[in-house]
DNA sequence: CGTACTATTGAGCGCTCTCAAAACCAGTGG
DNA sequence: CCACTGGTTTTGAGAGCGCTCAATAGTACG
């Protein structure tokens, strides 16, 4: 409170040696001291590999997780091995927010490819946010953002047809990868067709057929898990058909 | 911080003259002083009537709203008058959490019947949570709970058929009303069939047909908007069906 | 090179939507 | 009292999207 030495965006990037913390502290005025305190509670583990769990359904909630590199899927397992994929999480995105309330993980999280993950013990994070108002604000924003994202998915599953769903999925991946400095038109899907279908509420076969159709229509090139968007505008146009433009969540 | 005079549940109920604040302070240890401070920022307006707006899509976000009595629907309007109903909000439930991040309301909220609503200016609430750790924790829980609820809806829209969706809707209404001390088996639906269908991703006709079928099967009695659940267990059983023998998409 | 897995492609069917019309309700005015 | 209006709800018949079942093709890895 005494020396409110606000540091710049670039300083933060440097202070947060990896991209982990940028999720939390990007748009704020944090003192260097604050950033250090935040950095202190972050646990960095060695890289995880495909199939490794961050946590499983039923386990006690202790930490939030931030994807540094790689990708993670969260899913709600049901008896008999059936499951509902809830989300795919890319670098910079945070996992576990839904378990704060009950203090028990309702879903499981496993990495889709070799990934670096940071762990944020929640109780310590909570202590920290109580003493750093701008960090508290950022936590509220993160939680709120998750709600906004879920809302979009509700709209997608409730109102859109198969074609629109896959288009939305591709555009979402494109934007999120672009945000992290990766190519928005040329990327690798770390999840299987099966998982995509499960996520979008579609059968595997439908997903496959749609990829083929998009390919035939010249919207994209697809080879196994490698995707190139040839006509991003055309894909976005598919979204606009049912619901015209949505001028929403536009966070740096 | 000096005198941490923890007050009891009952004291809170009294201190919060209405049910508004119970949402925020129920499960915590707040001092009487804290509760007063929280109470001070709550704005109580005169009752609103069917069709009145709490806020509209596009407006600047300033406050959260808590339903005291009555009911509210939130929806994402699209051009052409089409809309996607995002939720129905009953007494004790909080509205507006999705707008914290962008500071702009992406959805609109209007009351379904004569309702008493409390307004919580968010900036003042935020100041308060910064000085009351247990209140901060409760805010995190509320936000997290909303995410958990959305997750359930994703599962519903992604994997369940029409029958299961309406069953889930009825059970949800029943539970939430019961939580507030109302009858879990005999209640009034303040929303139209059209709004229910919109919410569940179904056509009006499908909703109507399902009500008729449930009625014929002796699961409930329905007269216009008045519903009596005759066999709540039977309705819940409908939910479990898909999970038990789920022949559909499985990813691994 | 064989096994297991994932992805693609095809054919038929079922759930739910769409279109259409009738029934019902509340309010209004002749 | 009754017709008229506008709204919601119910009921019916047909069509289409996406699922299911089934078979083939492609890929990873021993």
């Amino acid at each position: 409170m005494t020396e409110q030495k606000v540091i710049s965006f670039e300083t933060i990037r440097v202070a947060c040696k990896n991209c982990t913390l940028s999720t939390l502290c990007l748009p704020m005025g944090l003192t260097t001291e604050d950033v250090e305190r935040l950095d202190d509670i972050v646990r960095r583990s060695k890289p995880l590999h495909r199939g490794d769990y961050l946590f499983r359904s039923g386990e006690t909630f202790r930490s939030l997780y931030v994807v540094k590199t790689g990708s993670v899927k969260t899913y709600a397992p049901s008896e008999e091995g059936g499951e509902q994929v809830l989300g795919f999480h890319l670098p910079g995105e945070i996992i576990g927010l839904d378990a704060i309330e009950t203090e028990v993980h309702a879903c499981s999280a496993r990495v889709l490819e070799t990934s670096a993950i940071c762990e944020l013990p929640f109780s310590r994070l909570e202590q920290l946010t109580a003493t750093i108002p701008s960090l508290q604000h950022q936590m509220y924003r993160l939680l709120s953002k998750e709600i906004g994202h879920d809302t979009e998915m509700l709209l997608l599953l409730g109102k859109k047809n198969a074609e629109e769903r896959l288009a939305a999925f591709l555009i979402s991946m494109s934007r999120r990868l672009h945000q992290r400095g990766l190519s928005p038109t040329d990327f690798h899907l770390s999840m299987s067709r099966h998982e995509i279908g499960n996520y979008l509420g579609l059968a595997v076969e439908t997903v496959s057929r749609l990829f083929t159709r998009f390919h035939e229509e010249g919207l994209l090139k697809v080879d196994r898990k490698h995707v190139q968007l040839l006509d991003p505008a055309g894909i976005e146009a598919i979204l606009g058909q049912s619901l015209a433009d949505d001028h929403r969540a536009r966070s740096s």
Side-chain angles (χ1 to χ4, degrees), chain A:
Chain A
M1 285 301 208
T2 48
E3 55 162 352
Q4 192 70 5
K5 199 170 38 171
V6 174
I7 61 178
S8 73
F9 175 84
E10 275 310 316
T11 314
I12 292 177
R13 295 289 290 186
V14 174
C16 311
K17 304 158 198 86
N18 48 65
C19 72
T20 305
L21 295 181
S22 61
T23 305
L24 283 171
C25 59
L26 224 64
M28 308 177 301
L30 283 185
T31 68
T32 47
E33 191 186 344
D34 289 341
V35 174
E36 271 171 35
R37 285 205 285 163
L38 179 55
D39 197 71
D40 281 347
I41 71 171
V42 176
R43 287 188 203 150
R44 298 171 180 81
S45 67
K46 50 180 171 295
L48 300 176
H49 301 96
R50 176 167 182 82
D52 288 347
Y53 285 90
L54 296 188
F55 52 79
R56 297 173 197 234
S57 166
E59 287 181 2
T60 301
F61 166 73
R62 300 186 196 288
S63 300
L64 299 175
Y65 297 86
V66 178
V67 182
K68 206 157 71 174
T69 63
S71 52
V72 176
K73 79 162 174 180
T74 47
Y75 61 99
S78 65
E79 30 279 73
E80 306 289 330
E83 59 184 56
Q84 161 72 30
V85 174
L86 298 171
F88 303 112
H89 307 271
L90 305 182
E93 297 176 351
I94 197 163
I95 300 170
L97 295 173
D98 60 310
I100 293 173
E101 193 220 349
T102 58
E103 298 189 357
V104 173
H105 286 289
C107 62
S108 300
R110 34 195 329 200
V111 304
L112 290 166
E113 61 192 317
T114 302
S115 302
I117 310 289
C118 285
E119 182 183 350
L120 283 138
F122 183 68
S123 60
R124 302 195 59 183
L125 178 60
E126 205 174 0
Q127 288 165 17
L128 216 53
T129 61
T131 64
I132 309 175
S134 58
L135 189 60
Q136 184 199 54
H137 185 69
Q138 181 63 2
M139 271 300 289
Y140 288 151
R141 290 193 58 204
L142 276 172
L143 282 151
S144 176
K145 184 176 187 176
E146 187 75 13
I147 295 171
H149 175 259
D150 287 353
T151 295
E152 273 185 46
M153 279 302 293
L154 288 181
L155 216 144
L156 184 142
L157 292 176
K159 290 277 175 292
K160 305 199 176 181
N161 63 25
E163 191 181 32
E164 294 167 328
R165 291 185 197 188
L166 187 61
F169 170 74
L170 291 169
I171 294 298
S172 169
M173 292 297 288
S174 171
R175 287 198 184 145
R176 288 151 69 198
L177 290 167
H178 190 43
Q179 262 184 349
R180 293 289 147 183
L182 298 169
S183 169
T185 57
D186 191 312
F187 48 87
H188 175 85
L189 296 176
S190 56
M191 69 295 292
S192 69
R193 298 284 190 274
H194 202 121
E195 287 165 327
I196 295 173
N198 189 313
Y199 176 59
L200 297 176
L202 300 172
V204 200
E205 297 91 330
T206 304
V207 174
S208 185
R209 273 184 257 269
L210 285 170
F211 268 119
T212 304
R213 197 202 303 174
F214 284 178
H215 186 103
E216 287 167 356
E217 292 171 351
L219 293 171
L220 51 75
K221 271 196 177 181
V222 55
D223 175 43
R224 298 285 288 168
K225 293 185 186 299
H226 180 80
V227 175
Q228 288 181 66
L229 306 187
L230 300 178
D231 183 8
I235 299 175
E236 286 197 59
I238 294 175
L239 293 182
Q241 282 174 358
S242 67
L243 269 168
D245 66 329
D246 60 339
H247 31 66
R248 58 174 50 172
R250 195 60 72 111
S251 60
S252 67

